[in-house]
Amino acid sequence: MSEPARFDRGHTDDLMTFLAASPSPYHAVATAAERLEKAGFRQVAETDAWEGTSGGKYVLRGGAIVAWYVPEGAAPHTPFRIVGAHTDSPNLRVKPLPDSGAHGWRQVAVEIYGGPLLNSWLDRDLGLAGRLTLRDGSTRLINVDRPLLRVPQLAIHLDRSVTADGLKLDKQRHMQPVWGLGDDVRDGDLIAFLEETAGIPAGEVTGWDLMTHSVEPPAYLGRDRELLAGPRMDNLLSVHAGTAALAAVASSPSKPASIPVLAAFDHEENGSQSDTGADGPLLGNVLERSVFARGGSYEDRARAFAGTVCLSSDTGHAVHPNYAERHDPTHHPRVNGGPILKVNVNNRYATDGSGRAEFTAACEAADVPFQAFVSNNSMPCGTTIGPITAARHGIRTVDIGVAILSMHSARELCGADDPFLLANALTAFLER
């Protein structure tokens, strides 16, 4: 059966490439930076003095990136238009003493990061990726993108209660993956293996930030391929869309009236309180230094921030066909229905009426449909970087995103058209 004529799938094809290339936040920002470089952006070091020149610039810090484009002739008090997102996803992360095992099995000791659906990590072929730090302080990205690890599930014959009581997993005892056989577990085995894999001399790695990932590639799903299944869409889907939107605006012959910004933070899944998280100083420092580099004063900084708007773009919940009662009865976002406007009157999301108008204008300019999301009153609502950004910087912020299923699973599901619609809406927002 041939695929029906729908939206151009080039953007979604490219998202699949981005997801596969970004098994960790460090890889995600490196991939985004590489794409921005091709659009003419250049990296600036935080330790250097900044020039007030026009053009595209970006800062990398760990698993975070802040990129911005200064149009020719921009005044110091020119406001910013920011797309905010995050690079991290719930997963299993390697402990400081990773080598363990028992009963003839060699295992890797892991800690639970964020709030993953633990059962989704069972009996799945896992790779290992992240960042290695060497003795001289330099870092090296590593990605073992092949079946290396597995968290084996207990056979039903040894736990008959699972059919009646459901699966119950202890995070410490039941989530440690196996990666080989042998009784002679030796400290340093895993890191020695990674040094050999990366071509690093033995004993040079003294620090690591490593995490597991599913090695199954992203794929179209369904009779008509109208769905996309893949890892880390919460929230690399938004990082990819924001990167594409910023590059498009910077390359456009009609220059924006504001300064478009992409801020992709790390550590959203565990509270954002780090030097690379949304609750840290990174975004504020970059915006202020941009104002001051263009000869601005504190008054110019205040004026710029007062006129700034941020779209906090993260995934949200599509109505689930098997659990529709868990959703608000009058708000049922559907996949491929366009991005969602996320609202919570208790400020778990930062959207208010003026923010809705801002997002409506962007979607109308891009000819993109959008939907509204609000949680069922009987269930606690999640949160995002939106309220943190609004409170920390005094910036008007709107929470939006793409509706998905299986959020926080090792493999999530969205509509294949929605990433394209989101990117178009973000481009229109940055251009305004």
Side-chain angles (χ1 to χ4, degrees), residues 29-30 32-38 40-46 50 55-61 64-69 246 262 286:
V29 298
E34 181 181 3
R35 291 168 176 237
L36 291 172
E37 288 269 352
K38 292 179 180 178
F41 285 70
R42 295 294 177 262
Q43 183 176 2
V44 294
E46 292 184 84
W50 289 5
K57 306 177 177 72
Y58 68 90
V59 164
L60 289 181
R61 184 192 289 185
I65 182 171
V66 179
W68 67 102
Y69 176 79
L246 181 59
L262 169 67
V286 168

Side-chain angles (χ1 to χ4, degrees), residues 43-253:
Q43 183 176 2
V44 294
E46 292 184 84
T47 54
D48 291 345
W50 289 5
E51 298 177 352
T53 54
S54 59
K57 306 177 177 72
Y58 68 90
V59 164
L60 289 181
R61 184 192 289 185
I65 182 171
V66 179
W68 67 102
Y69 176 79
V70 180
E72 191 73 37
H77 61 270
T78 301
F80 302 92
R81 295 184 77 81
I82 304 168
V83 171
H86 67 88
T87 61
D88 59 320
S89 303
N91 54 22
L92 313 178
R93 302 206 171 185
V94 175
K95 290 184 175 180
L97 299 176
D99 300 292
S100 67
H103 307 291
W105 294 97
R106 300 181 112 177
Q107 295 177 275
V108 174
V110 296
E111 190 173 4
I112 310 302
Y113 178 82
L117 288 169
L118 294 179
N119 61 291
S120 73
W121 290 88
L122 301 178
D123 296 333
R124 189 180 293 275
D125 295 338
L126 304 176
L128 198 62
R131 179 177 67 174
L132 302 172
T133 303
L134 309 187
R135 289 188 179 276
D136 62 3
S138 63
T139 59
R140 187 85 63 87
L141 296 184
I142 180 88
N143 181 14
V144 183
D145 195 30
R146 66 170 177 83
L148 179 70
L149 306 161
R150 185 180 179 93
V151 183
Q153 189 168 189
L154 185 64
I156 192 172
H157 313 78
L158 303 178
D159 185 12
R160 297 289 184 180
S161 66
V162 72
T163 55
D165 301 332
L167 180 64
K168 297 179 181 179
L169 296 170
D170 183 282
K171 293 180 179 180
Q172 177 62 39
R173 293 184 295 126
H174 301 151
M175 297 305 298
Q176 307 306 310
V178 300
W179 76 305
L181 299 174
D183 292 308
D184 57 336
V185 175
R186 296 180 298 273
D187 289 341
D189 276 358
L190 177 67
I191 301 305
F193 163 76
L194 295 177
E195 287 176 331
E196 182 180 3
T197 300
I200 298 171
E204 282 299 302
V205 172
T206 56
W208 51 88
D209 302 280
L210 300 166
M211 58 207 71
T212 58
H213 66 275
S214 171
V215 298
E216 184 180 3
Y220 287 109
L221 183 144
R223 185 194 67 179
D224 297 322
R225 290 163 38 97
E226 70 265 55
L227 300 171
L228 174 65
R232 301 177 295 281
M233 286 194 280
D234 177 14
N235 183 32
L236 294 187
L237 189 158
S238 293
V239 176
H240 173 261
T243 303
L246 181 59
V249 172
S251 303
S252 173

